[in-house]
Structures are given as C-alpha cells and as structure tokens.
Amino acid sequence: MKFSMKMTKMTSPPVVLVAGLLTIIAIGTLLLMLPAASHSGHSLYWVDALFTATSAACVTGLVVVDVNTTFTIFGEIVIMILMQLGGLGFMTMATLFALVLGRRLSLKDRLLLKEAINADSMEGIVRIIRKVMIFSFTIEGIAAVILALRWMADMPVGQALYYGLFHSVSLFNNGGFDLFGNSFIQYRGDWLFNLTASVLVISGGLGFIVLSDLFDFRRRRRLSLHSKLVLSVTGGLIALGTLVIFVFEFTNMRTLGALNLEEKLYSAVFQSVSTRSSGTSTIDITGLRQATQFFIMLLMFIGASPGSTGGGIKTTTFIIMMGAIIAMVRGRKDIVFFNYRVPKVMLMKALTIIIISLFIFILVLMLLLMTEDVQFLPLAFEAASAIGTVGLSVGVTPYLTDIGKLIISATMFIGRIGPLTIAYALRPRTDKQLYRYPEGHITIG
C-alpha cells in the first residue's frame, strides 16, 4: 500500500510536468554544447549552454551570448525546437504525436493535459488540444510566410524563409530570441512587421482555453467567463502600457524622442505588447527612463494568461485580486465579473500565487545583490523579466557571474512551470481533513 502511494505521488501531474521540462532543458543543454552547435567549433561553456537551453525551453529570451554570432544553424534550430516545445508544452506535443499515431489517451494522459493547460476539467480536453494545435501551427505558418516575404527585400530568399520561420516560432511562443542581434529595432517603423509580430505575441499569450473559445465562436456565438476576462484584461493592459510608455518616453532622445510620431506609436504599442511575455523590442531598453523600466517590471510580473506560452502571475490572477480590492472598498462580499460570482477558493489561489511569486522575486533579487556588483534597479529588472519569462533586459545578463546565471536559470524555470505547480510537486501527501476548527476573529488594518 505504501509503495502504491509513493508511486502515485511520484507520478502526479505536477511532478511529471516539472520532470518533463527538466528533461527538455537537459537534452537542449547537451545539444548546444556540441561543437557542431557553435561557430567556433568548440563546445560552448556548460553554464552558458544551460542558461540558453533554459531560456529557450522556458520561452524567456534572456541571453548570455549573441545567438546569431555564437550558434550555427544547427544550434539555432535546437533553440527554435526548444521554444516550440516549451511554448506549447511537452505534454501537448506528446499528445499531437499520439493522435497522429492513432493512440488513445489514458486517464493519466488526460490528467496531465488538464494540468498542463490549466483546464477546469478533463471534459473535451483532447478536442481542445487538437483545435489549439491547428490554430497554433496555422498562425505560425501564415506569419512565417508574411515575415519571409517582407525580409526577402533585405536578404536572400533562403535566409528570409529561415528567418521568417524562426521568428514566427519565437514570437508566437513568446520565446524572445532573435537573429538580428539588436532585437527588431530596425523595423520599428515597419507597419507590416509590427502588426504581424504583435498578433503573434498576443495570440500566444491568450492561452489554450481562449484560443479554443475563439476557434468555436462562429458556431457557439458566446465566450466563457474566462475568455471574456482574459481578453478584457489583456486589451486593457496593452492600452495602459502603450499610454504610459508613449507619455514617459515621448521626449527621451534615447528611445522615442528621436522618432517621428508614427514610429513613436508603433514602438509604444509593440513594447507594451512585448511585456506580455515576448521579450522582444523595437527600442533600446537600456535607454528607458527608470520610471518606465519600473512600470514595465510591473507588467512583466503580471505576464500573460493561464495555459499560454507566456509566464507571470497571469492576467486572471491579477484581475481577481483587483476585483477583491474593489469589492472590499465597496463593502461587497462577492467578487463579480460579467454577472458571475468568483468562488472564494479562486481568491485564495490568486493570493497564494501572488505571495509566492513576490517571495521568489525578493529572494532572487537578494541573492543577485549578494553575488553581482550591479545596481539595484537593473538587477530587479532582470529578476522580474526572468520570473515573468519575458526576456527583456537592460544589458545585465551577459555580465552575470556563473552563480548569477544559475540563479536566473532557476528563476526562469520556476517562472515557466509556475510557483504553485512547483509547490504542488514538492508538497507532502496529506489525507483529506474530515473536520473544521471553530472560526476566530482577528483585527486587520
């Protein structure tokens, strides 16, 4: 009996998801250390290989080496595959292969999928995954063609096709990697690139449940409460981010100040979208004013939506806590969105995620302040970018010590898996509590 219980614990969905991502990172590290992956013909330093593999598999985009000048096409393809696996999730990709081979999914497989995409139940889980895969690969394919056609004017056809595919995968999966060396600064005034890239980032950050809802909208003519909240909050945060970046940086000659009005608007929108978790940029992040950097940190901490290719505490966690604050100020007992009451257990879960994430952020920042000779705000920015799996950087990451790189690597891993999933994976097995203690009263405030 004890053996059976132990096996159940070791094969629980959170443990399998953690172990699966660790396995992907380990394989990616070994592949990037191969001499064939580097232009130098020598093995990449293991810490740098581990950091790059973790950043790609956790779809972050922080780098310690320049991707284009360091890695061969083989190394870049490894990074692209890691981003695809990390973005859609290894269980989702495994389901795709199982469906192609005609294999039926077991109950355990469905439980893992439910955990992987943050679904409420297993009902229709395979159908959701099938639709999401079709939706994802279709968007990536169309965007790859559009980007390739745009870049054919700037580079050979073969290179344009390769760049289109790589950056389509990177942007949709919120991977943050680019092959230009300075992100997409040279395309800040290009409306076609800005539109295509923004659609990719937003689509990847909405989450599998929302994508499935949108896929069925023409037939059902309605959206779930979750989808309504995600779309509303995502739109609101992008609009707020655009306004703040546009106003704060309007006269900053290192960012928006030297641009014309059209380029200012494009850059403000793209940078706001990028904070959802994509990590790419069309302006110099190091040149941003401190107030803007701090605001971007807040947006990175919120991140994308549940079950998406992005990280952060998630948009629904943020809006539930905002709803709780509004309800408390108005003297109401319930949190209500679109005429639906949010269960108290959701508020407890949201509060837990925020507190754990803040604790991890503070702990990581304190460790970095001990190991790195860098000022507070730049280190805080890198830590927020790592835990939100965003990938925006103020230029600190390449100069971190080995210990600092390992700390950031662990932070990216926790940010991708999710602090609550990590906690579930590590918690001891407890029996169901059959009693409740009497209610007590505590003075607050």
Side-chain angles (χ1 to χ4, degrees):
M1 181 66 176
K2 290 182 179 180
F3 177 78
S4 175
M5 289 169 59
K6 182 178 180 180
M7 289 300 292
T8 301
K9 161 69 178 173
M10 293 301 294
T11 56
S12 64
V15 172
V16 173
L17 293 176
V18 170
L21 185 55
L22 283 173
T23 302
I24 292 173
I25 291 172
I27 295 173
T29 301
L30 294 175
L31 290 175
L32 292 178
M33 287 179 65
L34 293 175
S38 302
H39 282 303
S40 66
H42 301 288
S43 295
L44 186 66
Y45 181 43
W46 72 271
V47 173
D48 293 342
L50 173 63
F51 189 99
T52 305
T54 304
S55 184
C58 297
V59 287
T60 305
L62 289 173
V63 293
V64 290
V65 294
D66 182 71
V67 176
N68 193 33
T69 58
T70 302
F71 296 106
T72 61
I73 291 181
F74 170 76
E76 292 170 358
I77 291 175
V78 169
I79 291 173
M80 182 171 63
I81 293 174
L82 288 174
M83 288 190 294
Q84 188 73 78
L85 289 174
L88 295 182
F90 81 97
M91 271 308 301
T92 306
M93 298 300 291
T95 301
L96 171 65
F97 289 116
L99 293 175
V100 170
L101 296 174
R103 187 176 72 84
R104 292 181 60 84
L105 298 183
S106 65
L107 178 61
K108 177 184 173 183
D109 294 331
R110 295 170 188 268
L111 283 170
L112 285 169
L113 283 172
K114 172 181 173 294
E115 185 77 20
I117 68 171
N118 287 348
D120 293 329
S121 69
M122 290 186 294
E123 183 180 357
I125 195 74
V126 177
R127 186 172 63 254
I128 291 175
I129 294 298
R130 186 182 291 111
K131 287 185 293 187
V132 166
M133 299 304 288
I134 294 173
F135 196 85
S136 301
F137 290 136
T138 300
I139 289 180
E140 286 183 352
I142 294 173
V145 172
I146 294 174
L147 292 175
L149 291 173
R150 166 61 187 85
W151 286 329
M152 282 179 188
D154 302 332
M155 59 187 72
V157 174
Q159 185 182 3
L161 290 171
Y162 172 61
Y163 270 45
L165 177 61
F166 184 95
H167 291 101
S168 177
V169 171
S170 178
L171 289 165
F172 179 78
N173 291 287
N174 286 235
F177 283 81
D178 73 275
L179 302 178
F180 292 100
N182 60 348
S183 200
F184 302 111
I185 290 179
Q186 63 266 50
Y187 298 106
R188 59 192 173 199
D190 189 320
W191 71 268
L192 181 60
F193 169 80
N194 278 270
L195 177 61
T196 305
S198 296
V199 169
L200 280 169
V201 173
I202 294 171
S203 299
L206 290 178
F208 294 157
I209 305 300
V210 179
L211 291 180
S212 178
D213 260 10
L214 292 174
F215 193 89
D216 289 337
F217 181 74
R218 291 184 60 184
R219 178 173 57 85
R220 299 171 59 185
R221 292 296 177 183
R222 64 184 179 86
L223 295 173
S224 65
L225 173 62
H226 171 81
S227 296
K228 290 178 181 178
L229 276 179
V230 166
L231 293 171
S232 300
V233 177
T234 298
L237 289 175
I238 290 174
L240 176 63
T242 299
L243 178 63
V244 170
I245 294 171
F246 184 80
V247 173
F248 284 17
E249 298 298 315
F250 192 86
T251 58
N252 185 354
M253 297 304 292
R254 296 183 62 188
T255 54
L256 301 185
L259 308 180
N260 60 45
L261 182 60
E262 184 180 28
E263 290 178 333
K264 282 183 170 70
L265 288 172
Y266 285 164
S267 298
V269 172
F270 186 87
Q271 214 51 63
S272 179
V273 169
S274 182
T275 60
R276 313 280 4 105
S277 200
S278 93
T280 49
S281 60
T282 54
I283 55 177
D284 181 11
I285 301 299
T286 61
L288 293 171
R289 292 187 168 116
Q290 289 189 352
T292 311
Q293 290 180 355
F294 184 74
F295 179 76
I296 287 177
M297 283 174 55
L298 299 178
L299 292 180
M300 291 193 299
F301 190 77
I302 295 172
S305 301
S308 71
T309 60
I313 62 171
K314 304 297 187 294
T315 53
T316 48
T317 303
F318 167 73
I319 196 60
I320 287 175
M321 289 307 302
M322 292 301 296
I325 294 172
I326 293 172
M328 180 62 68
V329 170
R330 292 183 175 180
R332 296 177 179 175
K333 292 184 178 181
D334 296 323
I335 305 170
V336 178
F337 297 113
F338 296 102
N339 298 321
Y340 282 95
R341 175 172 53 87
V342 177
K344 289 292 190 294
V345 66
M346 291 292 101
L347 175 59
M348 293 295 292
K349 186 174 181 180
L351 180 61
T352 302
I353 291 173
I354 291 174
I355 295 300
I356 292 177
S357 299
L358 280 173
F359 175 78
I360 294 171
F361 171 73
I362 293 170
L363 176 61
V364 168
L365 181 55
M366 289 177 64
L367 291 174
L368 290 175
L369 287 169
M370 291 173 60
T371 62
E372 312 302 316
D373 185 19
V374 181
Q375 293 182 343
F376 177 85
L377 184 60
L379 284 179
F381 192 95
E382 305 294 298
S385 182
I387 198 169
T389 68
V390 178
L392 291 175
S393 174
V394 290
V396 172
T397 303
Y399 305 102
L400 294 174
T401 62
D402 285 352
I403 296 177
K405 292 175 184 177
L406 293 175
I407 291 171
I408 291 294
S409 295
T411 307
M412 292 188 292
F413 177 82
I414 293 172
R416 182 60 186 127
I417 286 291
L420 204 56
T421 301
I422 296 286
Y424 285 160
L426 297 177
R427 70 178 178 181
R429 187 182 184 278
T430 56
D431 296 326
K432 185 177 181 180
Q433 192 170 327
L434 302 177
Y435 57 88
R436 298 179 70 188
Y437 291 100
E439 189 178 82
H441 296 281
I442 301 173
T443 302
I444 296 178

